Amino acid sequence: MASDIHVRRKRKFSKDQWTAIAFLLPSFLLILLFVYGFIGWTGYVSLSNWNTLVPDFSFAGLENYVYLFHDFRFQSDLRNTLFFTVLFIGLVIIFGMGLAILIDQKLKGESIYRNIFLFPMALSFIVTGVVWQWLLNPSTGFNQFLGAFGIHPKWYTDTNILAGFEWGSIEFGLPVAIIAVVIAAVWQMTGFSLAMYLAGLRGIPDELREAARMDGASEFQIYRKVILPMLMPITVSIVIIMAHISLKIFDLIYAMTGSGANFVTDVPAMYMFEATFRGHYYANGAAIAIIMLLLVAIFIVPYLWNSRKGDS
Amino acid sequence: MNIGKILKYFILTVVAIIFIMPIYVIIVTSLKPLDEVSLEQMWALPTSINFTSYVEAFKNLAPNFMNSIYLVIPATLLSALLGAMNGYVLSKWQFKGVNTIFTIILFGMFIPYQSILIPLIQFLRTIELYDTIPGLILVHVVYGLPITTLMFRNFYASIPDTMIEAAKIDGANFLGIFRHIIVPLSITGFVVVAIWQFTNIWNEFLFAVTITTSENQPIMVALQNLSGSQIVQWNVQMAGALMAALPTLLVYIFLGKYFVRGLLAGSVKG
């Protein structure tokens, strides 16, 4: 009986299906090597003593990881990533949703506004970084404007931590300098959440609003009780995509501030780059990379798992 | 017009001005001679239009601009083609385990590239493609596979299965259906995927800065290096930034509809 099924399944692979497999195979093998094979190799390097120019694959255990978690720079990185992520995602969602709701009001010149808010998406983080580094130069531009209110931030050199508290050797709180990076990142990425929300709003049938209006709901209530809950899945997608961008952010910080004084704008990607390619601490670099991967996986794996279930 | 409507226009216009303001500053700064470029005169218009910073930026960045062209065209075409092949199989030739294969491929889209960078460079050195444009092309094609596969798979899902079945009954095989039905129907899909890949590869920095040195560097690395010199010539920097941003901005201006579609398609379940 079992072998019968086996034979039948085997026969099901027609010539066309073998061609289909042949179509898919090169890409699949490339991914197996370049993604999974290389991640495995990085994991192996992270457990080795290869912290010099000459490769040294002797086993070091978790030494590189233990070192990182006691390292002031890496502790700052994790703090900065946390505060950058929260602020960046929060603002991108608030601005994106707010602008999408405004644009959705059947106003004239809608496409002009939409195009203006979206164009930074076409730029690279390097261009954005170069431009905003100039714009946020101390004593100019925005800062002149802020100065009128008696605020004089020294964006790149300010080592102050807002609302900070200490926990062991780690000073928690929001580093002032990282706000500059958040401003640039929000400028660039708001268009993305705007586009997502606008697509979502356009997908909500007018009848639903009409029905709510008939029931005597105010415009505000319609948004709060009907529209916002329907936009929830989009918000989840945006949070996941933005968290993923934010946890590995590199170009923008590289172009804008570098690590900053006292590592106030340093992030794991920056540290990984410098440890590996400037200092030849390959094992340390690999350990940072693996920690970054794990952080991203916390967000991505449940998401992929869910969308896979939804497909089948 | 009621007050509510005026308020909406007002808010949108203020935010729009803030969004465009950096472009204004880039342009006026790039048109100033260096002695007019100062923090105090940041917002002022140039007293006379001066193109020396563009000449300087062009002299510095032209070779890297060409590197980016040589990189982005083949990498975009190859990754779109492979993505179309994968998407076709994954949407129209389902077999057991196909969803698992898709998820395995898709995961590659989300990994931080730091987690594969060290072995990647070792590997490229071994196959002698380190510090070459073909090496970068290979990297962008491989790591572009997840997203291009996803985009084509979703695109092909909208082509009705009955069309494929009908062609099968008419005796068309796997390749015939791809060539005569799928490819002609996927022009829009190709445009969307190509724009997405073009923009991402043109703007990419991490691979570019770690895999290439000096003369093989794409434009983004060269732009970043412009600020590495002793005195930062802001006018040249801004001219360079405009030059580096121009191709993707043009794509956005002329093919905006497809650009946005790619943006939404790239977000897994947008």
Side-chain angles (χ1 to χ4, degrees), chain A residues 181-195:
Chain A
V181 189
V182 171
I183 292 173
V186 168
W187 176 75
Q188 176 150 21
M189 299 308 293
T190 291
F192 176 77
S193 71
L194 165 72

Side-chain angles (χ1 to χ4, degrees), chain B residues 72-146:
Chain B
V72 77
I73 292 173
T76 298
L77 293 178
L78 274 171
S79 62
L81 185 69
L82 281 171
M85 289 164 57
N86 297 341
Y88 171 50
V89 175
L90 291 172
S91 63
K92 296 292 174 228
W93 292 85
Q94 301 260 336
F95 49 87
K96 203 169 155 28
V98 85
N99 279 330
T100 308
I101 289 178
F102 178 59
T103 309
I104 288 172
I105 294 177
L106 201 59
F107 181 67
M109 192 165 113
F110 296 102
I111 58 164
Y113 293 134
Q114 283 80 4
S115 65
I116 47 87
L117 207 50
I118 295 169
L120 176 68
I121 287 168
Q122 287 183 289
F123 181 76
L124 288 177
R125 278 188 205 278
T126 312
I127 61 170
E128 292 182 0
L129 284 180
Y130 179 73
D131 195 14
T132 64
I133 301 287
L136 262 189
I137 293 174
L138 171 70
V139 168
H140 281 295
V141 169
V142 172
Y143 294 107
L145 282 173

Side-chain angles (χ1 to χ4, degrees), chain B residues 99-242:
Chain B
N99 279 330
T100 308
I101 289 178
F102 178 59
T103 309
I104 288 172
I105 294 177
L106 201 59
F107 181 67
M109 192 165 113
F110 296 102
I111 58 164
Y113 293 134
Q114 283 80 4
S115 65
I116 47 87
L117 207 50
I118 295 169
L120 176 68
I121 287 168
Q122 287 183 289
F123 181 76
L124 288 177
R125 278 188 205 278
T126 312
I127 61 170
E128 292 182 0
L129 284 180
Y130 179 73
D131 195 14
T132 64
I133 301 287
L136 262 189
I137 293 174
L138 171 70
V139 168
H140 281 295
V141 169
V142 172
Y143 294 107
L145 282 173
I147 184 76
T148 57
T149 301
L150 168 77
M151 286 166 106
F152 272 112
R153 175 183 172 272
N154 289 350
F155 185 80
Y156 290 150
S158 65
I159 295 177
D161 286 339
T162 47
M163 268 177 94
I164 312 291
E165 294 306 324
K168 273 188 200 166
I169 290 164
D170 289 345
N173 64 6
F174 178 87
L175 286 173
I177 294 171
F178 187 60
R179 238 180 71 74
H180 297 295
I181 297 178
I182 299 288
V183 172
L185 283 174
S186 39
I187 305 299
T188 315
F190 267 104
V191 173
V192 170
V193 172
I195 285 175
W196 174 267
Q197 283 299 88
F198 178 91
T199 308
N200 277 331
I201 297 169
W202 186 273
N203 288 342
E204 202 277 335
F205 183 69
L206 181 65
F207 287 138
V209 76
T210 49
I211 288 171
T212 54
T213 56
S214 61
E215 63 183 44
N216 289 320
Q217 281 169 344
I219 183 118
M220 287 310 156
V221 185
L223 173 65
Q224 171 54 28
N225 289 346
L226 266 188
S227 64
S229 50
Q230 291 294 320
I231 310 152
V232 181
Q233 294 178 295
W234 284 107
N235 53 345
V236 179
Q237 282 254 355
M238 293 304 129
L242 266 186

Side-chain angles (χ1 to χ4, degrees), chain A residues 34 36 41-42 108 115 122 140, chain B residues 9 39 104 115 122 143 248:
Chain A
F34 278 71
Y36 298 89
W41 183 246
T42 303
K108 282 202 189 81
N115 289 339
T140 67
Chain B
Y9 278 114
L39 301 174
I104 288 172
S115 65
Q122 287 183 289
Y143 294 107
T248 51

Side-chain angles (χ1 to χ4, degrees), chain A residues 10-87:
Chain A
K10 227 178 187 174
R11 214 181 285 141
K12 261 175 144 180
F13 270 62
S14 63
K15 191 171 160 251
D16 276 341
Q17 261 167 328
W18 284 114
T19 328
I21 291 167
F23 247 50
L24 203 56
L25 203 61
S27 300
F28 186 63
L29 293 178
L30 282 171
I31 292 287
L32 281 190
L33 172 67
F34 278 71
V35 175
Y36 298 89
F38 284 2
I39 287 174
W41 183 246
T42 303
Y44 180 71
V45 171
S46 78
L47 300 173
S48 77
N49 283 309
W50 187 15
N51 278 319
T52 50
L53 253 176
V54 188
D56 173 3
F57 296 119
S58 59
F59 188 66
L62 293 174
E63 225 169 75
N64 295 301
Y65 293 91
V66 172
Y67 167 79
L68 282 175
F69 283 104
H70 288 96
D71 179 23
F72 173 75
R73 180 173 182 178
F74 195 66
Q75 291 173 348
S76 307
D77 289 356
L78 292 179
R79 173 200 65 200
N80 296 344
T81 303
L82 175 70
F83 284 94
F84 178 85
T85 304
V86 171
L87 205 58

